[in-house]
Amino acid sequence: MKVIQVYGQNAVRVRNSAGESMMLIEKGIGFRKRKGDLVQQRPTTRIFIERIVK
């Protein structure tokens, strides 16, 4: 998953291969990450998927 925005050391917004925007929260997941970097989700990662409801 590619980083869109880093909110801090423990939260990042990413875009997956399907083009969905997600928020990943885990201890240290955003440490030394910048826009465009790749991150791997782990089994302990909390995932929030952004969906538009009509």
Side-chain angles (χ1 to χ4, degrees), residues 1-8 11-17 19-24 30 33-39 48 50:
M1 289 183 254
K2 197 173 198 178
V3 175
I4 298 171
Q5 185 172 3
V6 178
Y7 291 106
V12 293
R13 180 170 299 278
V14 297
R15 188 167 312 278
N16 67 6
S17 59
E20 295 177 309
S21 178
M22 301 182 197
M23 180 82 134
L24 301 181
K33 297 293 184 200
R34 293 189 175 180
K35 186 176 179 179
D37 288 349
L38 298 176
V39 294
F48 299 92
E50 180 183 339

